Amino acid sequence: MAPGVPGFVPRFPGVTLDQLQAWLPTIITAAVVLVAVVVALAVVSRLLRQLAPRAHWYLFGFALLRMRMRRSWRHLCLNAQLTGTDRPTTGQLGPLLVKGRLIMPVLPLLRRIRPRSFGATAVILLHPGQIPEPFVNAAEAMAHAWGVHAVRVDARLRGRVRLTILTADPLTAQRTEAATWATGPSPKETAMTSRPSEAIEPPASAVAVPADLAADVGQREDGQRWVVDLVTFPHWLITGATQSGKSTLINAAVSRWAARPVALVGIDCKGGMELAPHAPRLSALATDRAEAADILAALVAETQRRMGLCRQHGARNIWQLAPEVRPIPVVVIVDELAELYLVASRADKDEALRATTNLLRLAQLGAALGVHLVVAGQRVGSDLGPGVTALRAQLAGRICLRVNDEETVDMTLGDLYPDAVEAAQQIDPAVKGIAVTTADHAGWIRARSVYLSPEQLAAVIAATAHLVPVLPGLTPPAA
């Protein structure tokens, strides 16, 4: 019955009918205002999502994600078997030991949920006896439960697990396709320009520093810049099928190193087709296996000379040498590794053995002596011979773009990051430049290289051609 009808009795204790009738207009007004506010927030949210996605995320998106995480955490832990216990599961009954599962499991603690530009981060505090492996396996379950693109689990910290929550795939965003680029002496400089040659400034001196070996080549899926750092990982292995973005990645790295006091040496046994655009900035370029064997032999002799220099000055690497005697770092770029190993005759076998042996020696000796390898190929398999496995063991930095066979993925990532093999096999062939790469000393991450047009690459090379250093026993290709 409605107010004013005989027999109507309010159901609110202490509230009379007259009071309820007096409050009714206020209640209706408050309800209308509430609905208007909700509608306004929905409109503002939709506009912000289109015009200012980052502002929308911090104002609306993160709050909703945090709510989903809190509400689903108990069910997620129970279904994914992420629970622990606060008491032993084994007890003694007389002379017998009885083991069972407690009816009331204890949930791990979800703490420090913080917004980030790419999504959010959180920390899970483990109970005594818990290990990170179940949380690593449950990453996909977390992503589905929270309605996000992906969840990355970092298990390096003792007693806790760090979550990186990605709300979308930043590698497929339009900005990663933009052909904007900047080069300079410091990898920390992030200013962009549409004219790469204008961003290049010759080094103040010819003395290299460790920061010169870090090349900013693109973007990682966690929103950070993708850096190929030859100090952290002295040698790198890059695998990728045709049209996967391998050459684009090499172009990006060379464009960074070109403006710095670094010697670049190219080995391209396919007639130099891939590395020819870099020739004006290269200290040497091999276009067949015979030339490659000679260049690698000269570089091995250079490492011996540097070894004696370090021994003479009591240094364990070139960075401990005084600037006036410090030799210039050398980056050797090998395009299509298989061309060095595959043989068709006895003469080819001797030539290949000489080239690959010297390549392996550089990998073993060069890290401390400032000689670094960036080895690329369409595939790396056991059919290339046992020398490939020995070489791979020295290449701690790994980059796997889209490949056509599972063995290459396993050879690239399987020995270091078994859980990254599946991620590499799921790379979308429609989006070029995406790779699974070494992130740091204890993990991997997806990343995408920036694209340089042929005109941009030519501008960078032309602007840095005068910086080419001459190495003992080697002749620049332009000479």
Side-chain angles (χ1 to χ4, degrees), residues 210 212-215 227-236 257 262 264 319 329-332 367 370-374:
D212 291 323
L213 297 180
V227 177
V228 175
D229 191 353
L230 299 179
V231 175
T232 304
F233 298 102
H235 308 303
W236 288 75
W257 289 320
V262 174
L264 301 174
W319 305 114
V330 181
V331 180
V332 183
V371 180
H372 306 275
L373 300 181
V374 178

Side-chain angles (χ1 to χ4, degrees), residues 54-352:
R54 180 167 296 184
H56 173 271
W57 165 248
Y58 282 103
L59 291 176
F60 298 98
F62 173 70
L64 295 175
L65 173 62
R66 183 186 178 94
M67 187 183 304
R68 287 197 301 269
M69 293 174 64
R70 292 296 188 190
R71 293 185 59 182
S72 63
W73 183 240
R74 178 176 180 83
H75 293 290
L76 177 63
C77 291
L78 292 175
N79 292 333
Q81 298 183 354
L82 303 178
T83 56
T85 176
D86 60 352
R87 63 186 64 182
T89 58
T90 302
Q92 186 170 356
L93 183 61
L96 301 177
L97 287 178
V98 181
K99 186 174 182 179
R101 177 176 296 180
L102 295 180
I103 299 178
M104 294 296 294
V106 179
L107 303 181
L109 302 179
L110 183 62
R111 293 289 185 268
R112 283 187 273 174
I113 305 176
R114 300 288 186 268
R116 298 292 184 266
S117 60
F118 53 83
T121 58
V123 173
I124 300 174
L125 303 181
L126 305 182
H127 291 292
Q130 285 190 299
I131 59 176
E133 185 177 0
F135 296 89
V136 175
N137 297 334
E140 191 70 14
M142 296 180 193
H144 282 280
W146 299 335
V148 296
H149 169 68
V151 175
R152 301 285 181 247
V153 180
D154 184 354
R156 287 175 293 172
L157 299 176
R158 296 298 183 183
R160 63 190 62 191
V161 170
R162 187 176 187 273
L163 303 181
T164 300
I165 304 159
L166 308 173
T167 56
D169 189 354
L171 305 183
T172 59
Q174 184 67 27
R175 64 180 179 271
T176 60
E177 295 282 7
T180 54
W181 193 247
T183 57
S186 173
K188 296 182 180 180
E189 296 177 0
T190 57
M192 290 294 182
T193 176
S194 59
R195 298 182 179 179
S197 59
E198 295 181 358
I200 297 172
E201 297 181 1
S205 67
V207 179
V209 296
D212 291 323
L213 297 180
D216 181 349
V217 298
Q219 180 182 358
R220 304 191 332 182
E221 67 176 348
D222 60 358
Q224 300 183 35
R225 301 303 299 171
W226 180 14
V227 177
V228 175
D229 191 353
L230 299 179
V231 175
T232 304
F233 298 102
H235 308 303
W236 288 75
L237 172 63
I238 305 173
T239 56
T242 303
Q243 300 297 317
S244 65
K246 185 169 76 279
S247 297
T248 298
L249 173 60
I250 293 176
N251 290 344
V254 169
S255 297
R256 285 297 191 186
W257 289 320
R260 303 171 187 173
V262 174
L264 301 174
V265 175
I267 296 178
D268 182 3
C269 293
K270 295 188 297 183
M273 293 187 299
E274 295 294 335
L275 298 183
H278 307 148
R281 182 56 181 85
L282 299 180
S283 297
L285 174 62
T287 59
D288 57 42
R289 189 159 47 201
E291 293 179 356
D294 293 338
I295 288 178
L296 292 172
L299 290 173
V300 169
E302 172 64 10
T303 59
Q304 299 289 345
R305 185 190 71 83
R306 296 184 179 199
M307 193 180 302
L309 184 65
C310 290
R311 184 170 57 250
Q312 177 183 350
H313 290 82
R316 301 187 65 179
N317 55 64
I318 65 168
W319 305 114
Q320 295 180 359
L321 296 172
E324 57 270 15
V325 298
R326 182 184 304 158
I328 193 168
V330 181
V331 180
V332 183
I333 303 167
V334 181
D335 191 274
E336 198 47 65
L337 177 65
E339 293 296 325
L340 289 179
Y341 282 89
L342 296 178
V343 297
S345 63
R346 177 66 182 179
D348 289 343
K349 184 176 181 180
D350 294 339
E351 193 174 75

